[in-house]
Amino acid sequence: MSRNVNLGVLVSGAGTNLQAILDAISERKLAASVRLVVSNKPGVLALERAHEARVPTKVVSHRDYADREAFDGALVEALVGAGVDWVVLAGFMRLLTGKLLRAFPNRVLNIHPSLLPAFPGVDAQRQAFDYGAKVTGCTVHLVDEGTDTGPIVAQRAVPVLVDDDVESLTARILVEEHRLLVEVLAAIAEGRLDVTPGIDGKRTRAHLRRA
Ligand code: GRF
């Protein structure tokens, strides 16, 4: 049984992952509602996409805050105020501190364009291409205080083709990112995400139960 999950989506740029979420909701493929879109940058396309879908938006510029904790505090205030249950980083380019993660324990997701733990950080598609990887892909993971180091929820492999350049590879990965992110959120709405906290130094594990 799906229940409506209240999402807060953090963006920094194009917002194609946000658009994938909005489209899935309007096509009734995702039992969720986007309560707020927050960008750390004004004027990005992601904000226009939210406006088109009549989703409330807020710009919280990291430049307006003395430090990361204060910035996160403003994010938490906006997200909690909007009734958000789950936070989705969709092309969001800032590291989060424990302040936001404590407000949404094991409820902050990120979509990353590589098969973590390979190629964390920025420009993951180019990292894989330049390394000569034959298979790369995308990962949805729970966010922790590291850089793309949180518990992996789901992954999708994408081949690197012999005539690829970084742009063609990036475009192929992006298609799979959109599909994977919606699949994970739909599973969460159906209560199918299991999180097993790690003990004795082991990593926390997350996985999606089959429908
Ligand atoms: C995507 O590859 C995402 O994984 C990365 O930024 C790219 C753009 O995302 N973090 P979006 O189009 O802004 O959702």
Side-chain angles (χ1 to χ4, degrees):
M1 170 61 189
S2 289
R3 59 180 180 74
N4 224 36
V5 176
N6 294 312
L7 304 177
V9 184
L10 305 189
V11 298
S12 296
T16 66
N17 279 289
L18 166 66
Q19 191 64 55
I21 294 170
L22 295 170
D23 291 349
I25 290 171
S26 63
E27 292 158 13
R28 305 219 179 294
K29 292 175 185 161
L30 173 53
S33 61
V34 180
R35 303 295 298 261
L36 181 66
V37 170
V38 183
S39 176
N40 65 307
K41 288 183 186 167
V44 295
L45 185 53
L47 291 171
E48 285 177 43
R49 295 177 190 273
H51 292 147
E52 282 288 305
R54 288 168 184 58
V55 171
T57 63
K58 190 173 177 60
V59 175
V60 180
S61 170
H62 52 282
R63 291 189 178 77
D64 296 343
Y65 297 88
D67 56 35
R68 289 182 181 277
E69 286 278 339
F71 172 66
D72 274 24
L75 292 179
V76 171
E77 190 180 336
L79 292 162
V80 170
V84 164
D85 302 314
W86 279 81
V87 180
V88 181
L89 311 189
F92 187 66
M93 301 310 275
R94 302 288 302 171
L95 280 184
L96 297 173
T97 71
K99 193 178 189 91
L100 188 135
L101 301 177
R102 283 189 298 276
F104 297 92
N106 281 329
R107 286 174 172 248
V108 182
L109 289 169
N110 184 42
I111 173 86
H112 180 78
S114 75
L115 292 178
L116 293 172
F119 313 124
V122 293
D123 249 352
Q125 306 94 328
R126 177 175 298 280
Q127 289 184 58
F129 183 84
D130 290 347
Y131 191 94
K134 303 310 175 202
V135 178
T136 185
C138 51
T139 301
V140 175
H141 64 94
L142 293 171
V143 175
D144 65 10
E145 294 194 50
T147 301
D148 302 320
T149 51
I152 291 174
V153 173
Q155 296 189 294
R156 180 79 33 87
V158 174
V160 183
L161 304 179
V162 68
D163 58 351
D164 262 331
D165 56 17
V166 174
E167 288 66 36
S168 58
L169 176 60
T170 297
R172 190 177 313 114
I173 295 170
L174 197 55
V175 169
E176 295 309 324
E177 288 180 52
H178 298 162
R179 290 173 177 155
L180 189 65
L181 183 56
V182 168
E183 283 171 29
V184 169
L185 291 171
I188 288 172
E190 293 163 13
R192 289 194 284 113
L193 172 63
D194 285 342
V195 180
T196 310
I199 47 175
D200 298 339
K202 292 233 184 293
R203 279 173 59 84
T204 294
R205 297 177 73 84
H207 77 279
L208 301 179
R209 289 196 313 277
R210 288 216 170 286

